[in-house]
Amino acid sequence: MTKKNPGKRPGPVVLDVKGKQLDADDARRIAHPSTGGVILFARNFESRAQLCALTRDIRAVRDDVLICIDHEGGRVQRCKTDGFTHLPAMGKLGELWDSDVLAATKAAVACGYVLAAELRACDIDLSFTPVLDLDYGRSAVIGDRAFHADPRVVAMLANHLTHGLLLAGMANCGKHFPGHGWAEADSHVAVPVDERALDDILEQDAKPYEWMGMALASVMPAHVIYPEVDPNPAGFSRYWLQDILRTQLGFEGVIFSDDLSMEGASVAGTVTDGARAALAAGCDMVLICNRPDLADQLLAELDVSLDKASQRRIRKLFARGKAMDWNKLEQDAGYRNALRQLREAKLIA
């Protein structure tokens, strides 16, 4: 596991950096005691050597922050060149399931292993994957990011994907609880609403979260309002996060808010209002992305430290074991075998 300075107590904020190298403002924000994580995007990637230098510089500022990335495969993959495998959208695994269940589960493990092993070779701790939303054919922002329309298939394929992640030493994050697949609006630019009854959501969309059980290490709730259940979006709702996710479904891992700069979070007020509401509802960490001005505002105004329970949960998300450097990874039998399986399944070129 990544060593962390026991004298430091990282805070609940996960923020991004502006470019391919750290500047003084990036370093200042990372060093702030309210910061607990850094999330990387495509704009932060040019090459493997550059990415490794960036993560090394982040560690030099703070050796106790969680380095994360949104890297699912398909259209949500931040690193696609310089040796990184362009992984399939998870919907391709669902299509394979419909024709060959065993081939699909085998490919899901391989996908998870390749995804995690390549990121870990660049010293990234966690990818926010898998998507557990159901593919109802209604949500363009989810679409083929979802494995399948059947929650049983979603749970099975996600479990195999997370097994592959774990084999490479990486934890996982299921999103977007309790489900973003029915709501048509994109929470990046609107406030989605899902008007179904609680029982319908629990019997369909939320089932993968229940069935995955202890295999689920962290969860990201949706910026979706379910007015038949609670007037607040799920990520700001104690009912969804405490009564349903923690109590009814027995989830014991980390809860991340989705990005507080998204339009779906605007109902909470300012970015600081949103962070406080998310933490009060039960989130352990809050994300603020693509808006350094709002990150500065949040760090200046949010005076909250992680409690011991949150710290213990977050500690389990750091990458485990010793990652291989890229040259060794390319020669590793397990990695080569995983790539072969994906090629044979016609999921990668």
Side-chain angles (χ1 to χ4, degrees):
M1 184 181 293
T2 301
K3 293 181 179 179
K4 301 173 290 299
N5 186 332
K8 295 179 181 177
R9 294 185 62 188
V13 177
V14 180
L15 46 75
D16 56 1
V17 297
K18 287 183 284 188
K20 296 177 177 62
Q21 296 85 32
L22 292 189
D23 65 16
D25 286 331
D26 292 323
R28 171 181 54 78
R29 281 187 280 268
I30 294 168
H32 195 284
S34 289
T35 299
V38 175
I39 180 171
L40 303 177
F41 290 95
R43 67 172 181 274
N44 306 123
F45 174 77
E46 179 178 80
S47 67
R48 286 185 283 110
Q50 168 269 324
L51 182 60
C52 289
L54 177 59
T55 56
R56 187 165 55 246
D57 289 347
I58 292 169
R59 301 284 187 205
V61 176
R62 286 278 296 279
D63 63 356
D64 60 346
V65 294
L66 189 73
I67 301 182
C68 315
I69 194 167
D70 254 344
H71 194 86
E72 303 167 7
R75 58 193 158 95
V76 182
Q77 179 167 333
R78 309 309 187 191
C79 312
K80 298 179 181 178
T81 59
D82 199 15
F84 273 92
T85 304
H86 196 175
L87 294 163
M90 294 300 99
K92 294 294 183 184
L93 291 172
E95 291 175 9
L96 182 57
W97 173 283
D98 288 338
S99 62
D100 190 332
V101 169
L102 293 179
T105 55
K106 189 176 179 182
V109 175
C111 264
Y113 185 80
V114 169
L115 186 157
E118 292 179 352
L119 292 176
R120 291 215 52 220
C122 300
D123 199 16
I124 293 172
D125 293 303
L126 176 71
S127 177
F128 290 117
T129 189
V131 169
L132 300 182
D133 302 317
L134 306 187
D135 182 11
Y136 289 106
R138 294 170 57 93
S139 173
V141 72
I142 302 301
D144 64 1
R145 295 168 65 193
F147 288 100
H148 205 273
D150 187 332
R152 298 168 297 181
V153 178
V154 171
M156 288 294 290
L157 289 175
N159 257 328
H160 283 82
L161 183 93
T162 58
H163 181 57
L165 296 174
L166 189 60
L167 288 172
M170 183 176 282
N172 61 74
C173 181
K175 59 188 186 184
H176 307 82
F177 177 81
H180 200 316
W182 186 264
E184 294 180 343
D186 178 355
S187 55
H188 292 86
V189 296
V191 183
V193 176
D194 183 337
E195 296 182 343
R196 292 176 299 161
L198 175 62
D199 287 348
D200 293 334
I201 298 167
L202 293 181
E203 286 304 311
Q204 292 293 320
D205 302 64
K207 277 299 183 184
Y209 296 89
E210 178 182 353
W211 290 333
M212 287 187 72
M214 292 176 65
L216 200 56
S218 64
V219 163
M220 181 178 287
H223 283 328
V224 176
I225 296 174
Y226 308 85
E228 293 297 311
V229 182
D230 191 297
N232 299 301
F236 305 119
S237 165
R238 284 190 63 84
Y239 182 78
W240 278 117
L241 301 187
Q242 299 290 342
D243 295 3
I244 300 297
L245 183 59
R246 290 246 185 253
T247 303
Q248 186 169 327
L249 303 184
F251 177 68
E252 296 182 352
V254 174
I255 303 177
F256 290 93
S257 82
D258 206 343
D259 178 11
L260 294 176
S261 74
M262 290 163 57
E263 185 62 27
S266 64
V267 296
T270 69
V271 65
T272 307
D273 293 336
R276 288 175 177 149
L279 294 167
C283 289
D284 298 288
M285 303 191 88
V286 294
L287 274 69
I288 179 67
C289 310
N290 305 309
R291 289 288 303 273
D293 57 326
L294 294 183
D296 281 333
Q297 178 184 338
L298 185 57
L299 294 176
E301 296 177 353
L302 186 69
D303 185 18
V304 177
S305 59
L306 290 170
D307 62 28
K308 290 184 178 179
S310 289
Q311 289 183 54
R312 282 194 299 270
R313 288 192 285 264
I314 293 164
R315 210 168 288 133
K316 295 178 181 178
L317 296 183
F318 281 83
R320 300 187 179 194
K322 183 174 175 58
M324 290 175 273
D325 67 35
W326 201 276
N327 290 332
K328 289 183 178 178
L329 178 63
E330 288 184 319
Q331 302 305 315
D332 178 67
Y335 176 70
R336 291 162 69 95
N337 185 46
L339 290 174
R340 180 183 58 79
Q341 291 174 26
L342 294 176
R343 290 191 189 100
E344 288 178 353
K346 296 182 170 53
L347 292 171
I348 62 171

